[in-house]
Amino acid sequence: MSEEGKPKIIEECKAKFEKRIQKATTAEDIEKLRIKYLGRKGEIRSLFGHIQEIPPEKRGEFGSHINELKTYMEQKIQSVSDQLENFSLDATTEKPYCDLTLPGVPFVMGHQHPISQIIDDLLDIFRSMNFDVVSGYEIEDTFHNFDALNIHQWHPSRNPQDTFYVDPEHILRTQTSAVQIRAMENGTLPLRIVSMGRCYRRDASDATHYPVFHQIEGLVIDKNVNFCDLSGILTEMMTGVFGTRVEVRFLPSYFPFVEPGAETFISCPFCGGKGCNVCGKAGEIELGGSGMVHPQVLRNVNIDPSIYRGFAFGWGIERIAMMKYQIDDIRLFYDNNIDFLEQF
Ligand code: FA5
């Protein structure tokens, strides 16, 4: 029960209705709203379905709250519909074209999608560390996405069951690592770049996978860089995203284009490493791959590995957003559910 004694479920229904009716700008919007709330299978009808869960002595009161809400909605829908009708009347009718005494139809401002917000935060963080922001191609050739990254012909990730092929030599890029190759081909050394964008894989969608997702890729090539620099940059990046100091830990792992390669973990920003529900009591969270650029990859783009070396990292942006906002299903970002998106 709320403070005024109305059950929460009724108040929530009213609050959602208020939000939606503020956004209604056409007779069609109003009709949809009427069906959604007052229709035969509408929200009001489903509220009555909850009566069974109420103790018998409180059912009368519960029912009269629903009736009150129903009357309120009917009146509100009628009044907004009248306002809209007045707006649309033309000079041939007797009624005024526009009644200036009526309250205005509120203009509802949209806002950025949570993934775009994270991308903008990451861009600010990397610009502050003097990185150049570069973009690549979403339709990429197999040389930049695979060959130049030491991913050989027989590698399973090249299989058409894993990768969307446009033609035998072009694909929808599976990783932003392709941008590393283009940056090394085009850039003057030393290099310090970051790139973000969409990637595509034929992964079935589930709570942590989506066939289209975003990655962030970073690459530094210089004469004297090492794992400590990589660790420092990733620490700054994650501290910036979560707004609290995190620590980075590397666990050896294999990616054909880095040697040594690592899966990268950060200490859980929510419990500081003590263990909580977000990190599954592990005290840390795995966020993506990283490592020192493989000498053969440098050779593939005519950089002499005896003079230059580099490090790279590639992380999923949806996974970072899921951690930051504690969302347990990636699909929520792409369902276009306005109630979900409005929270950010
Ligand atoms: C790579 O794509 C490497 N290119 C990363 C890298 C870059 C390693 C530079 C070393 C140096 P991986 O396949 O693990 O690695 O993908 C990286 C991240 O992308 C994953 O950790 C995950 O966060 C995200 N990701 C991968 N597939 C999906 C998917 N289907 N849906 C959502 N996120 C995904």
Side-chain angles (χ1 to χ4, degrees):
M1 287 277 183
S2 73
E3 277 168 34
E4 300 91 51
K6 286 198 187 144
K8 204 161 166 250
I9 190 170
I10 296 184
E11 296 216 314
E12 280 171 359
C13 179
K14 185 174 179 189
K16 282 193 180 154
F17 171 79
E18 295 285 14
K19 263 193 185 171
R20 289 216 156 95
I21 200 153
Q22 278 185 17
K23 290 181 194 160
T25 51
T26 63
E28 202 189 346
D29 292 344
I30 291 289
E31 181 56 12
K32 276 192 193 148
L33 212 65
R34 195 189 61 71
I35 294 170
K36 178 166 174 51
Y37 283 90
L38 302 172
R40 270 197 310 124
K41 293 183 184 164
E43 301 290 332
I44 288 289
R45 178 59 75 92
S46 88
L47 281 178
F48 277 115
H50 287 278
I51 271 189
Q52 302 299 334
E53 299 153 20
I54 306 289
E57 69 279 9
K58 300 227 157 143
R59 285 185 187 165
E61 195 188 340
F62 185 77
S64 66
H65 283 312
I66 303 177
N67 279 327
E68 218 174 84
L69 179 62
K70 181 170 174 238
T71 312
Y72 172 79
M73 287 177 175
E74 284 165 351
Q75 286 169 353
K76 188 93 187 190
I77 284 177
Q78 189 57 51
S79 109
V80 175
S81 150
D82 289 348
Q83 282 179 36
L84 291 175
E85 200 184 316
N86 276 339
F87 268 112
S88 62
L89 286 172
D90 67 25
T92 58
T93 66
E94 303 233 316
K95 290 192 191 167
Y97 170 70
C98 174
D99 180 353
L100 297 176
T101 62
L102 288 171
V105 179
F107 181 77
V108 182
M109 286 285 286
H111 65 80
Q112 273 191 313
H113 190 277
I115 297 298
S116 306
Q117 288 177 32
I118 295 271
I119 289 178
D120 277 1
D121 290 350
L122 288 166
L123 286 175
D124 284 347
I125 293 165
F126 279 98
R127 285 201 183 105
S128 78
M129 291 194 281
N130 224 3
F131 275 70
D132 287 329
V133 179
V134 299
S135 55
Y137 301 115
E138 287 185 29
I139 296 182
E140 189 49 280
D141 57 47
T142 47
F143 172 78
H144 289 89
N145 196 91
F146 295 128
D147 301 322
L149 287 161
N150 277 349
I151 301 174
H152 295 294
Q153 290 299 331
W154 40 260
H155 196 280
S157 67
R158 297 176 78 127
N159 194 306
Q161 281 176 346
D162 288 323
T163 297
F164 294 101
Y165 277 80
V166 176
D167 63 38
E169 264 115 47
H170 293 88
I171 56 161
L172 299 184
R173 72 172 173 201
T174 60
Q175 49 183 347
T176 41
S177 296
V179 184
Q180 284 185 35
I181 302 299
R182 291 200 176 269
M184 289 190 279
E185 280 174 340
N186 304 334
T188 44
L189 299 175
L191 259 184
R192 199 175 168 85
I193 60 115
V194 71
S195 186
M196 285 168 233
R198 272 188 287 264
C199 297
Y200 303 81
R201 294 185 191 179
R202 293 187 87 143
D203 289 338
S205 63
D206 61 23
T208 52
H209 294 85
Y210 211 70
V212 186
F213 58 98
H214 294 75
Q215 279 189 345
I216 171 171
E217 187 87 11
L219 171 74
V220 173
I221 304 282
D222 210 333
K223 286 189 176 149
N224 199 14
V225 288
N226 56 39
F227 242 97
C228 291
D229 301 311
L230 170 62
S231 168
I233 280 167
L234 296 180
T235 305
E236 280 310 307
M237 162 177 159
M238 283 298 107
T239 300
V241 168
F242 289 103
T244 174
R245 195 87 199 146
V246 297
E247 277 170 28
V248 172
R249 186 171 81 91
F250 297 103
L251 194 70
S253 181
Y254 175 72
F255 297 93
F257 38 92
V258 283
E259 179 55 39
E263 281 301 345
T264 324
F265 293 78
I266 58 163
S267 57
C268 176
F270 301 100
C271 63
K274 291 192 197 97
C276 66
N277 287 343
V278 180
C279 60
K281 310 271 180 248
E284 60 181 7
I285 295 165
E286 182 191 331
L287 279 178
S290 62
M292 300 303 293
V293 180
H294 197 295
Q296 184 56 44
V297 172
L298 295 176
R299 275 185 224 109
N300 290 345
V301 286
N302 296 323
I303 295 176
D304 184 347
S306 66
I307 304 175
Y308 283 101
R309 48 192 180 166
F311 58 78
F313 55 89
W315 292 9
I317 295 181
E318 280 80 358
R319 301 266 173 93
I320 299 176
M322 286 167 79
M323 277 301 147
K324 175 161 177 169
Y325 299 121
Q326 297 182 37
I327 291 161
D328 58 8
D329 196 324
I330 192 172
R331 291 166 290 197
L332 287 166
F333 288 124
Y334 299 115
D335 281 349
N336 283 337
N337 178 344
I338 203 82
D339 288 338
F340 170 76
L341 294 172
E342 269 177 346
Q343 300 174 78
F344 301 96

